[in-house]
Amino acid sequence: MSIIRQMDSKLANMIAAGEVVDRPASIVKELLENSIDAKATIINVDVTEMGMKSIVVTDNGVGMDFLDAHLAFDRHATSKILDESDLGHIQTLGFRGEALAAISSVSKVTLKTRQKQNEGIQVIYHGGKFVSDGVATLNEGTVVEVTDLFYNTPARFKYIKSEVAERLAIIDIFDRIALAHPSIRFTLSVDGKITKRTFGTNDFYSLIDQIYGSKMTEHMTIFNHMIQKVKITGYLLSPQISRSRKKDISIFVNGRYIRNYRLIQAVIDGYHSYLMTGKYPIALIHLEMDPSLLDVNVHPQKYEVKFVNESILAYAIENAVKDALIQKIHPIPENLNTIQKAKQDIFTPIDLDFGESILAESIANDEKDSNHDQLPKLPDFDYVGVFSGTYILFQNQDALYLMDQHAAAERIRYEHYFDSLAHPNQSVKQLLFENELKLTTEDKTVIRENEAKFNKYGFYFNSNMDLTGLPVWLNESEIDIAIEAMISMLTEKHDIDLSILRDRLAKDISCKGAIKANQSLNMNEINGLVKKLRACKNPYTCPHGRPTVIKLTHYEIERMFKRVI
Ligand SMILES: Nc1ncnc2c1ncn2[C@@H]1O[C@H](COP(=O)(O)OP(=O)(O)OP(=O)(O)O)[C@@H](O)[C@H]1O
Ligand SMILES: [Mg+2]
């Protein structure tokens, strides 16, 4: 029995208009969504030459009959909605009846399909025009083969980015869809090689490990939360696996991957105190709600949805993430009593985390630098005490000074690394044992394809992309930060810009290993900190622009006490 119907023009006009197929990845998305809507439990995607040569999606879904296999290519022909009232409660991923028409208009499509009770059929369209139909041999399900993409629209071909960018975009959309459907077994093959595979076992640990790389789920936190009949489930990867980009925060609504700035920000805010500035987590948020509470007919590619109550949702997500992380990770002491107690219990010696010899060298270099004279030096002052476990107080006859110990340590470390990175292709130290990095499969692909650029900066890998050599200036504890910064620069800008890398790496590394707030320091350590800060080219701000030292003059204090006006 045929089920696809042509929409009437009124309903067709209500569908958000625009470009559905702009690159190979959007074809992969549309075909995967069709297979999911057809209730497939096994879906295979094969792409060749970044999808420009061919994209084949095979599913074991319900298939189509002879008439539907033809109707499917018509614009505004869908089996998923009947009239306008259906737009208010869409249960399927597709509903616009446009995807196959749009795909076939810019490529050559062969659709083979078979319903359980029928024999298999095949329909061929080229550039939106019917070519032929006939009988086909296949199991129950559908195979859509798209070849010669944009063969008839060379202008569109021009907008295709680099091969790596297109391949990553395909992998990215495959990942999101697979992460949204844990009970479906997905396989992605690129140029004949299996690149990604999930097992469809409903197990998020195995699913996330398959998508992001092994051991990613170590210390993962899972939460469930209900708010106003919306079920929120979160899979929060350890904050230690942070990224420089927000794109690994995925939001799903009723199995649909969506892009929603506000909800992504809510996740970031929930992670807030566990991540360095400019770092973002890997996290999945699944929302399940009545379809009438959202509008998916906002954007032609269906990435955006409108929620009835987005603010409440964002607030709930932020708090649920916070609560879940607090339960898993030991919280930073918040009130003074806890801090004082913690200080009596443990004494953590200062660790600037790089050898004294290197430090001495960096200070010596600083002192030679003539720019040094452009900023005023830190004044001489005497130590008074520590306030709130974080601010070291000093005084001289003019003023009281508060030094933020974390910001000061960050500045010192930043200048050290910034200088070291000025000549990043210095000697390489070989690792005795290969270092298995916490890398996703995409990360490894990016490294493999840019190995020469990594070599240039002193990073060497074996065939498994384990690290075998690293530049001498880098501590082994900071390898992950350095590699991650380089990968994100390569994915965003397709190259490593030394000046940006220098600043970014120096900032990330300096923050990570620096003395923390609430870390007890002894007198030697405080003196060392002041001495090293004095030696900095700019001792007054941390690399992120926050002050390292605040000065309250004698006059200002007197004015506060209303001794002077
Ligand atoms: N893999 C498939 N298995 C079974 N039926 C399919 C498959 N792919 C497409 N169809 C049928 O073809 C119709 C048209 O597909 P198409 O993707 O063009 O539109 P849609 O999915 O209804 O809406 P949208 O444009 O939002 O994707 C679908 O409504 C569905 O009935
Ligand atoms: Mg569709």
Side-chain angles (χ1 to χ4, degrees):
M1 196 189 77
S2 299
I3 45 170
I4 299 182
R5 286 173 198 82
Q6 188 78 40
M7 292 175 191
D8 63 32
S9 57
K10 185 168 173 231
L11 177 57
N13 289 336
M14 290 175 79
I15 303 279
E19 212 62 80
V20 181
V21 179
D22 56 353
R23 63 193 299 188
S26 46
I27 295 187
V28 172
K29 170 183 183 285
E30 293 297 337
L31 297 182
L32 276 171
E33 291 188 344
N34 279 348
S35 298
I36 295 165
D37 284 343
K39 305 203 171 9
T41 54
I42 304 173
I43 306 177
N44 297 335
V45 184
D46 289 85
V47 296
T48 319
E49 289 181 17
M50 57 172 178
M52 297 301 287
K53 188 160 179 215
S54 79
I55 298 170
V56 184
V57 175
T58 309
D59 69 52
N60 66 344
V62 293
M64 282 172 266
D65 68 12
F66 184 81
L67 191 60
D68 277 357
H70 289 77
L71 273 175
F73 288 93
D74 287 354
R75 250 195 114 201
H76 299 310
T78 182
S79 58
K80 301 173 190 175
I81 58 169
L82 262 181
D83 53 39
E84 338 174 0
S85 65
D86 291 335
L87 275 181
H89 52 89
I90 287 166
Q91 318 255 13
T92 46
L93 296 171
F95 58 89
R96 304 160 47 87
E98 273 202 320
L100 278 179
I103 295 167
S104 73
S105 71
V106 292
S107 65
K108 299 175 181 170
V109 180
T110 302
L111 180 142
K112 292 181 188 164
T113 186
R114 187 178 154 201
Q115 290 183 320
K116 206 173 190 169
Q117 65 279 15
N118 295 337
E119 67 175 344
I121 42 171
Q122 164 175 302
V123 181
I124 300 179
Y125 269 71
H126 286 181
K129 301 224 160 35
F130 173 76
V131 174
S132 67
D133 56 20
V135 178
T137 315
L138 74 158
N139 291 330
E140 185 189 350
T142 302
V143 184
V144 181
E145 185 184 0
V146 178
T147 57
D148 298 324
L149 185 55
F150 301 141
Y151 79 103
N152 54 348
T153 51
R156 197 112 38 116
F157 192 82
K158 271 206 313 230
Y159 290 107
I160 293 301
K161 298 190 182 137
S162 73
E163 196 174 317
V164 181
E166 291 309 320
R167 190 141 25 92
L168 289 177
I170 291 171
I171 296 175
D172 186 56
I173 193 63
F174 174 90
D175 286 354
R176 314 282 184 172
I177 290 180
L179 288 168
H181 297 277
S183 58
I184 298 178
R185 210 161 88 200
F186 291 95
T187 310
L188 170 67
S189 305
V190 177
D191 296 327
K193 255 185 26 208
I194 292 184
T195 307
K196 288 280 172 84
R197 156 181 287 162
T198 70
F199 300 119
T201 51
N202 254 327
D203 170 8
F204 269 91
Y205 281 90
S206 119
L207 177 63
I208 292 170
D209 278 343
Q210 288 299 314
I211 295 297
Y212 284 113
S214 63
K215 298 199 192 139
M216 285 299 195
T217 47
E218 263 176 27
H219 311 297
M220 176 165 84
T221 307
I222 302 177
F223 72 82
N224 280 295
H225 186 74
M226 274 304 282
I227 176 140
Q228 297 186 346
K229 295 196 183 152
V230 178
K231 185 175 172 206
I232 311 174
T233 311
Y235 300 88
L236 310 175
L237 272 64
S238 160
Q240 280 160 347
I241 319 173
S242 63
R243 333 280 288 158
S244 310
R245 46 190 191 257
K246 297 180 188 175
K247 85 173 197 35
D248 289 318
I249 302 169
S250 304
I251 313 281
F252 306 98
V253 190
N254 296 346
R256 179 192 304 280
Y257 164 62
I258 57 156
R259 295 177 182 154
N260 183 303
Y261 168 78
R262 194 128 174 233
L263 301 190
I264 287 180
Q265 193 54 45
V267 177
I268 297 169
D269 292 345
Y271 264 89
H272 174 69
S273 54
Y274 299 104
L275 291 170
M276 289 188 281
T277 329
K279 288 285 167 189
Y280 305 100
I282 302 182
L284 318 181
I285 303 292
H286 278 265
L287 304 171
E288 285 166 61
M289 61 178 81
D290 188 315
S292 62
L293 295 176
L294 54 120
D295 180 3
V296 287
N297 184 24
V298 180
H299 187 266
Q301 295 188 337
K302 296 163 284 191
Y303 279 124
E304 284 166 33
V305 302
K306 268 201 203 118
F307 294 100
V308 169
N309 220 334
E310 189 170 287
S311 315
I312 293 181
L313 211 51
Y315 185 70
I317 291 176
E318 179 182 338
N319 284 320
V321 171
K322 263 187 200 151
D323 290 350
L325 290 174
I326 282 175
Q327 280 165 32
K328 184 94 174 190
I329 301 160
H330 197 67
I332 299 164
E334 262 162 28
N335 69 45
L336 208 56
N337 292 341
T338 346
I339 294 165
Q340 305 273 306
K341 172 88 179 57
K343 272 204 273 178
Q344 285 159 18
D345 292 349
I346 30 159
F347 173 70
T348 327
I350 187 171
D351 179 13
L352 283 175
D353 222 357
F354 44 79
E356 280 303 314
S357 57
I358 301 176
L359 183 68
E361 196 186 300
S362 122
I363 292 173
N365 286 341
D366 271 1
E367 276 162 5
K368 273 188 255 146
D369 197 321
S370 57
N371 287 341
H372 229 186
D373 301 331
Q374 289 171 7
L375 280 167
K377 288 273 181 200
L378 277 184
D380 287 334
F381 40 48
D382 299 319
Y383 171 76
V384 176
V386 175
F387 171 67
S388 194
T390 301
Y391 305 101
I392 311 173
L393 306 184
F394 301 92
Q395 65 172 347
N396 60 20
Q397 57 194 31
D398 302 327
L400 178 69
Y401 300 84
L402 289 90
M403 181 185 291
D404 178 332
Q405 64 185 41
H406 175 69
E410 258 192 296
R411 161 56 58 184
I412 296 165
R413 289 170 57 77
Y414 173 77
E415 292 203 3
H416 161 71
Y417 280 109
F418 195 77
D419 287 346
S420 311
L421 286 160
H423 312 286
N425 49 352
Q426 301 153 336
S427 357
V428 170
K429 60 182 170 198
Q430 296 299 323
L431 290 168
L432 283 181
F433 300 101
E434 287 150 357
N435 191 320
E436 197 190 323
L437 301 167
K438 281 211 159 94
L439 294 176
T440 65
T441 322
E442 277 77 73
D443 293 342
K444 288 189 181 182
T445 311
V446 175
I447 296 178
R448 197 168 282 123
E449 275 160 7
N450 295 282
E451 215 170 329
K453 289 178 185 153
F454 280 90
N455 294 164
K456 188 171 148 201
Y457 295 104
F459 294 85
Y460 288 85
F461 302 87
N462 64 13
S463 57
N464 196 30
M465 296 298 109
D466 298 328
L467 195 69
T468 54
L470 74 156
V472 279
W473 50 263
L474 192 72
N475 271 341
E476 288 187 34
S477 60
E478 284 139 7
I479 293 171
D480 283 313
I481 303 183
I483 304 238
E484 213 268 313
M486 292 163 92
I487 289 173
S488 70
M489 200 169 285
L490 282 163
T491 15
E492 285 156 21
K493 307 206 184 320
H494 309 295
D495 204 358
I496 297 175
D497 177 329
L498 180 59
S499 59
I500 299 175
L501 179 72
R502 241 179 116 186
D503 179 62
R504 190 145 150 188
L505 261 188
K507 272 184 188 154
D508 285 359
I509 296 175
S510 62
C511 179
K512 192 186 169 218
I515 300 164
K516 297 282 175 277
N518 299 326
Q519 182 175 336
S520 294
L521 307 181
N522 66 23
M523 239 7 258
N524 280 344
E525 292 162 343
I526 289 172
N527 286 335
L529 190 70
V530 174
K531 189 170 153 216
K532 286 158 195 163
L533 188 65
R534 277 187 200 291
C536 284
K537 295 188 181 90
N538 173 7
Y540 293 100
T541 59
C542 84
H544 307 99
R546 288 186 292 105
T548 52
V549 180
I550 286 176
K551 178 180 175 185
L552 279 176
T553 62
H554 192 258
Y555 174 74
E556 281 166 330
I557 293 171
E558 294 241 283
R559 231 180 43 171
M560 282 189 253
F561 282 108
K562 307 224 181 292
R563 284 171 171 269
V564 291
I565 299 165

